[in-house]
């Protein structure tokens, strides 16, 4: 054993599962949890401890899950918060329940997990928390408004978390992957859900329909390799490999597609500010010293 003990939520598939497998390969201890965690027999066969945990549970339930891991391994050093799903469809067709459920899993659960994780790590004076954002943290678009808003929230929250806890020796980062071949877009897998009313007739030949078609065509053809991505995540969270000697990042961007999309967003934002600069600064009080 290396001394690293990973507690991973959302370990049933995608990055959560791949990170668990990478950590296990390195000789680390792993607690793999999901809503049906005890069904993850392939991870158990590789040495992981399995736990059933609904990330929307109350504090007592989540804390009890942490305690089970601590009882077995004596500590937890790394927390990975990777639950979430894509809510697809037009804003108009998204019910109040659709939106609430999405925010509850994609945002509030990560906030609550992080809060309890900090309470555990702060007295220890060390530890790591990684929350999952997305390239969707940087741009919105037709048919994925609720997913984008959730990921923006996670990135904003984790940026604040990073600043707030680093003085206590805790390292927090938000992982922002582009499109990776994880099965995330597969129908019926629980990661891609639809709004209550897709309004296909009303939104025919619009960006909503084009987005749906694009996601279908892109499914299982995404450029990102989740095994490679997970290796980098584990490197960063252990200060080894490609991360050796580098400053711990507030954001961990993964994938050429994510990098290019973010660069476009930065350029577009700079262009907007230059065009509107005179208007932007015109709202200051007259007695404010002009820069």
């Amino acid at each position: 054993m290396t001394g690293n003990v990973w507690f991973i939520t959302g370990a049933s598939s995608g990055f959560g599962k791949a990170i668990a497998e990478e950590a296990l390969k390195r000789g680390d201890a792993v607690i793999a949890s999901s809503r049906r965690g005890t069904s993850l027999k392939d991870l158990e066969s590789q040495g992981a401890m399995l736990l059933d945990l609904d990330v929307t549970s109350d504090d007592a339930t989540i804390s009890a899950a942490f305690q089970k891991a601590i009882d077995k391994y004596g500590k937890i050093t790394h927390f990975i918060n990777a639950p979430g799903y894509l809510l697809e469809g037009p804003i108009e067709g998204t019910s109040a329940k659709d939106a609430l459920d999405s925010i509850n899993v994609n945002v509030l659960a990560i906030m609550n997990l992080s809060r309890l994780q900090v309470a555990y790590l702060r007295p220890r004076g060390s530890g790591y928390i990684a929350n999952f954002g997305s390239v969707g943290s940087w741009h919105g678009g037709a048919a994925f408004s609720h997913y984008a808003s959730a990921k923006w929230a996670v990135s904003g929250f984790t940026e604040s978390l990073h600043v707030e806890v680093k003085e206590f020796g805790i390292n927090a980062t938000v992982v922002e992957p582009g499109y990776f071949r994880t099965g995330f877009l597969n129908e019926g897998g629980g990661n891609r859900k639809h709004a209550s009313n897709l309004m296909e007739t009303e939104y025919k030949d619009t960006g909503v329909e084009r987005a749906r078609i694009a996601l279908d065509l892109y499914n299982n053809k995404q450029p990102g390799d989740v095994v490679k991505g997970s290796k980098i995540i584990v490197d960063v969270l252990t200060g080894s490999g490609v991360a050796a000697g580098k400053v711990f990042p507030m954001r961990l961007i993964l994938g050429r597609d994510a990098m290019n999309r973010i660069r476009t967003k930065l350029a577009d934002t700079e262009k907007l500010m230059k065009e509107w600069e005179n208007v932007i600064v015109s709202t200051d009080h007259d007695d404010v010293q002009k820069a």
Side-chain angles (χ1 to χ4, degrees):
M1 286 290 182
T2 63
N4 295 325
V5 181
W6 300 70
F7 192 102
I8 303 174
T9 60
S12 61
S13 62
F15 272 103
K17 184 175 183 181
I19 292 168
E21 291 176 332
E22 179 62 31
L24 287 165
K25 288 177 185 176
R26 301 189 187 199
D28 295 354
V30 171
I31 302 91
S33 72
S34 74
R35 190 184 294 266
R36 296 177 299 280
T38 51
S39 67
L40 306 177
K41 296 302 181 183
D42 55 338
L43 284 178
E44 186 176 43
S45 68
Q46 297 174 59
M49 173 184 178
L50 306 185
L51 285 179
D52 291 326
L53 178 63
D54 182 341
V55 294
T56 64
S57 297
D58 59 25
D59 288 5
T61 301
I62 295 171
S63 295
F66 292 171
Q67 191 60 50
K68 288 179 182 178
I70 296 165
D71 289 344
K72 181 169 183 177
Y73 295 110
K75 62 183 177 180
I76 302 171
T77 59
H78 293 73
F79 288 97
I80 302 290
N81 299 319
Y85 63 88
L86 168 67
L87 177 60
E88 178 189 342
I91 294 170
E92 184 183 357
T94 305
S95 71
K97 185 177 186 306
D98 292 338
L100 182 60
D101 288 347
S102 173
I103 294 299
N104 199 25
V105 173
N106 289 319
V107 181
L108 295 180
I110 287 177
M111 290 179 172
N112 287 332
L113 286 164
S114 297
R115 173 172 55 85
L116 295 171
Q117 290 158 3
V118 170
Y120 168 72
L121 293 174
R122 183 180 49 75
R124 293 176 54 84
S126 65
Y128 296 82
I129 299 172
N131 295 329
F132 266 78
S134 162
V135 65
S137 299
W138 289 82
H139 72 101
F144 64 94
S145 56
H146 289 78
Y147 181 74
S149 62
K151 292 306 181 181
W152 284 15
V154 169
S155 287
F157 172 79
T158 309
E159 181 173 321
S160 302
L161 178 68
H162 173 94
V163 174
E164 188 169 295
V165 301
K166 65 181 180 180
E167 295 176 72
F168 298 109
I170 303 170
N171 295 285
T173 189
V174 58
V175 183
E176 296 177 333
Y179 285 86
F180 277 71
R181 218 169 292 175
T182 61
F184 187 77
L185 295 178
N186 292 351
E187 295 283 0
N191 293 124
R192 183 181 179 184
K193 299 184 180 182
H194 294 117
S196 292
N197 187 354
L198 290 177
M199 305 182 71
E200 292 181 349
T201 300
E202 295 86 343
Y203 282 85
K204 186 174 177 58
D205 297 325
T206 70
V208 169
E209 183 181 56
R210 289 190 292 273
R212 175 181 57 78
I213 293 171
L215 289 175
D216 288 340
L217 291 174
Y218 214 36
N219 189 23
N220 298 319
K221 297 177 183 176
Q222 298 96 324
D225 184 326
V226 70
V227 174
K228 291 181 179 179
S230 295
K231 184 177 186 302
I232 289 173
I233 292 169
V234 175
D235 278 354
V236 168
L237 294 175
T238 56
S240 61
V242 300
K246 295 183 183 296
V247 176
F248 186 84
M250 181 185 299
R251 282 183 162 84
L252 179 56
I253 298 162
L254 297 175
R256 187 186 303 274
D257 58 336
M259 180 181 68
N260 290 340
R261 187 64 189 83
I262 292 168
R263 281 179 170 163
T264 298
K265 177 72 172 187
L266 294 173
D268 289 347
T269 303
E270 182 63 28
K271 180 180 178 182
L272 181 147
M273 288 194 298
K274 285 183 177 179
E275 181 177 354
W276 288 86
E277 183 173 359
N278 291 339
V279 175
I280 293 168
V281 302
S282 69
T283 57
D284 291 343
H285 275 288
D286 293 340
D287 60 355
V288 173
Q289 180 69 38
K290 298 299 187 291

